[in-house]
């Protein structure tokens, strides 16, 4: 038994076996263009008409007729080896995202759901579960970012009409003040590291504000001691168990940095030490071109540098000191001595000045007080 149908409704009829209404619509797959047929059911003709209209609207918008029933677990596994692997993200980021996806999405409650059943409320529950596991705010935010990227890929591939992650607000981060050392503490720390092979690295970090990986990726071809300039072109990190030089964190991280006299002296001392290392190593020397190397010329492992710094810090009673603390210390000294925020932001290679202000806005109260003193003086004597 068929019923009259409006244009675009498809075919609608009542099934004799159980008296249920059935509607079917033939259409082209919005992604592949292949012919498809979608069937819906309802207890009344009105229900079927409404379902077909929803499908027609989705197709007109270039979306799939229905969201896919594949579980998020299965699609995430495929995403790791396809979309993520093919993306332009840094190798370290790909490794991080793959690990977080496997640990916190695949196997989680949300991962077992068919993709067409995931709603924004499921995503919100997922975020609460991540927080309940004791994950840090930054990790929760990263997992959300990964979930959103997976959802975007599913929409792009025609498996979903919309991304449920995109409809949920990104988890916020509590602003954290960067920890830094005073010049006196830096002096004590470097003194405690006087016999360490890594002391020159520590000196360069605190005199330039480089990131740890940027300093360890430096090659002599990046350094011009005659003109006291240095180029930052990459970052050293561990990828799949191997030390590799990858792209800088952001495009603005690729920068040239002028070297002050202490930094030049440090690098000259490193070059002299390298000549001695080469003589001792002989045929075992690896000519990698890196500035900071092992006794055999291989790039320094960041973990070994951190251990050396931690040992020196404990010797002088300093706690929670990492290699990044030296970068923060360089920034704080510049800011408290009146270096403009824009200049500090460029020196640090931040993507924007807002990042510098958020991280270091608390380190220059004296500068702020001086600014208000100038303002008050000008208003008191307008001449």
């Amino acid at each position: 038994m068929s019923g009259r149908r409006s244009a675009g409704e498809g075919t609608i009829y009542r099934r004799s076996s159980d008296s249920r209404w059935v509607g079917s619509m033939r259409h082209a797959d919005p992604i592949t263009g292949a012919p498809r047929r979608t069937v819906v059911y309802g207890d009344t003709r009105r229900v079927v008409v409404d379902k077909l209209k929803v499908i027609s609207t989705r197709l007109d918008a270039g979306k799939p007729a229905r969201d896919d029933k594949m579980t998020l677990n299965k699609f995430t596994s495929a995403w790791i080896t396809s979309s993520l692997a093919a993306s332009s993200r840094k190798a370290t980021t790909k490794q991080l995202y793959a690990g977080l996806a496997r640990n916190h999405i695949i196997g989680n409650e949300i991962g077992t759901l068919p993709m067409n059943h995931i709603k924004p409320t499921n995503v919100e529950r997922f975020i609460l579960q991540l927080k309940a596991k004791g994950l840090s705010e930054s990790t929760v935010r990263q997992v959300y970012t990964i979930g959103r990227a997976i959802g975007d890929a599913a929409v792009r591939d025609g498996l979903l009409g919309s991304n449920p992650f995109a409809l949920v607000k990104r988890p916020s981060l509590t602003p954290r003040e960067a920890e830094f050392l005073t010049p006196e503490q830096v002096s004590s720390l470097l003194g405690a590291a006087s016999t360490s092979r890594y002391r020159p690295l520590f000196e360069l970090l605190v005199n330039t504000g480089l990131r740890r990986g940027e300093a360890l990726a430096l090659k002599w071809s990046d350094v011009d001691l005659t003109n006291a300039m240095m180029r930052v072109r990459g970052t050293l990190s561990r990828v799949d168990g191997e030390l590799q030089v990858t792209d800088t964190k952001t495009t603005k991280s690729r920068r040239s940095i002028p070297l002050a006299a202490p930094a030049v002296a440090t690098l000259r001392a490193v070059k002299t030490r390298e000549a001695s290392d080469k003589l001792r190593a002989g045929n075992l020397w690896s000519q990698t071109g890196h500035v900071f190397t092992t006794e055999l010329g291989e790039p320094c492992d960041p973990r070994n540098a951190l251990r050396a710094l931690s040992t020196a810090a404990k010797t002088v009673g300093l706690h929670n000191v990492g290699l990044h603390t030296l970068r923060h210390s360089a920034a704080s000294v510049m800011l408290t001595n009146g270096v403009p925020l824009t200049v500090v932001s460029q020196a640090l290679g931040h993507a924007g000045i807002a990042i510098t202000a958020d991280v270091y806005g608390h380190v220059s109260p004296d500068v702020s007080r001086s600014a208000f003193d100038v303002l008050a003086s000008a208003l008191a004597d307008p001449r």
Side-chain angles (χ1 to χ4, degrees), residues 44-114:
T44 66
R45 187 180 191 282
R46 181 73 263 167
V47 169
V48 170
V49 169
D50 290 343
K51 288 182 177 181
L52 289 178
K53 283 184 177 179
V54 169
I55 292 172
S56 179
T57 299
R58 288 172 64 103
L59 292 171
D60 289 343
K63 298 178 180 180
R66 285 177 171 150
D67 290 343
D68 201 276
K69 295 181 180 180
M70 181 191 303
T71 65
L72 182 59
N73 279 344
K74 185 174 181 180
F75 186 78
T76 298
S77 296
W79 175 83
I80 291 172
T81 58
S82 56
S83 299
L84 178 62
S87 72
S88 59
R89 296 180 177 90
K90 291 178 57 178
T92 50
T93 303
K94 291 179 183 180
Q95 186 178 32
L96 172 65
Y97 279 16
L100 290 175
R102 292 189 181 102
N103 291 333
H104 301 298
I105 296 179
I106 297 176
N108 191 288
E109 177 185 313
I110 197 171
T112 64
L113 296 176

Side-chain angles (χ1 to χ4, degrees), residues 43-335:
D43 292 332
T44 66
R45 187 180 191 282
R46 181 73 263 167
V47 169
V48 170
V49 169
D50 290 343
K51 288 182 177 181
L52 289 178
K53 283 184 177 179
V54 169
I55 292 172
S56 179
T57 299
R58 288 172 64 103
L59 292 171
D60 289 343
K63 298 178 180 180
R66 285 177 171 150
D67 290 343
D68 201 276
K69 295 181 180 180
M70 181 191 303
T71 65
L72 182 59
N73 279 344
K74 185 174 181 180
F75 186 78
T76 298
S77 296
W79 175 83
I80 291 172
T81 58
S82 56
S83 299
L84 178 62
S87 72
S88 59
R89 296 180 177 90
K90 291 178 57 178
T92 50
T93 303
K94 291 179 183 180
Q95 186 178 32
L96 172 65
Y97 279 16
L100 290 175
R102 292 189 181 102
N103 291 333
H104 301 298
I105 296 179
I106 297 176
N108 191 288
E109 177 185 313
I110 197 171
T112 64
L113 296 176
M115 296 181 68
N116 62 330
H117 287 176
I118 298 177
K119 307 299 180 188
T121 51
N122 298 118
V123 177
E124 290 168 339
R125 176 180 172 83
F126 173 55
I127 292 172
L128 291 175
Q129 290 171 338
L130 294 176
K131 293 178 179 179
K133 289 168 67 174
L135 299 181
S136 67
E137 290 181 343
S138 60
T139 299
V140 171
R141 191 171 189 169
Q142 285 176 323
V143 174
Y144 164 84
T145 299
I146 294 165
R148 182 160 181 168
I150 292 170
D152 286 342
V155 172
R156 180 202 64 189
D157 290 352
L159 302 179
L160 291 178
S162 63
N163 181 357
F165 282 85
L167 300 176
V168 174
K169 185 179 179 181
R170 183 171 64 166
S172 60
L173 295 177
T174 302
R176 296 181 61 185
E177 298 179 348
E179 297 184 1
F180 59 90
L181 304 177
T182 65
E184 293 76 20
Q185 289 173 321
V186 169
S187 179
S188 297
L189 180 63
L190 294 178
S194 59
T195 60
S196 171
R197 183 177 185 84
Y198 295 97
R199 172 174 169 141
L201 170 65
F202 305 155
E203 290 178 340
L204 187 70
L205 289 174
V206 81
N207 276 287
T208 60
L210 289 179
R211 297 178 177 91
R212 174 192 68 183
E214 293 172 344
L216 293 176
L218 279 177
K219 294 191 174 184
W220 287 114
S221 56
D222 302 321
V223 178
D224 182 352
L225 293 177
T226 302
N227 295 305
M229 290 294 296
M230 179 175 63
R231 291 181 300 173
V232 178
R233 297 192 295 173
T235 183
L236 182 77
S237 53
R238 190 169 289 280
V239 181
D240 295 328
E242 300 291 333
L243 289 176
Q244 295 182 20
V245 175
T246 60
D247 290 337
T248 54
K249 188 172 183 179
T250 66
T251 55
K252 287 192 175 181
S253 294
R254 295 177 65 90
R255 61 200 187 279
S256 293
I257 297 177
L259 298 172
V264 172
T266 294
L267 291 170
R268 289 192 187 280
V270 172
K271 186 172 274 291
T272 299
R273 183 183 68 184
E274 182 184 274
S276 299
D277 288 340
K278 282 183 180 180
L279 288 176
R280 284 193 295 270
N283 292 334
L284 297 177
W285 180 261
S286 296
Q287 189 60 49
T288 61
H290 282 271
V291 173
F292 296 103
T293 68
T294 66
E295 291 87 344
L296 299 179
E298 296 292 342
C300 289
D301 191 322
R303 296 176 298 188
N304 293 336
L306 177 57
R307 278 193 285 267
L309 181 67
S310 298
T311 299
K314 289 178 182 178
T315 301
V316 293
L318 295 174
H319 304 284
N320 299 321
V321 175
L323 293 169
H324 224 55
T325 309
L326 300 177
R327 169 176 164 88
H328 294 325
S329 302
S332 70
V333 170
M334 285 189 282
L335 287 169

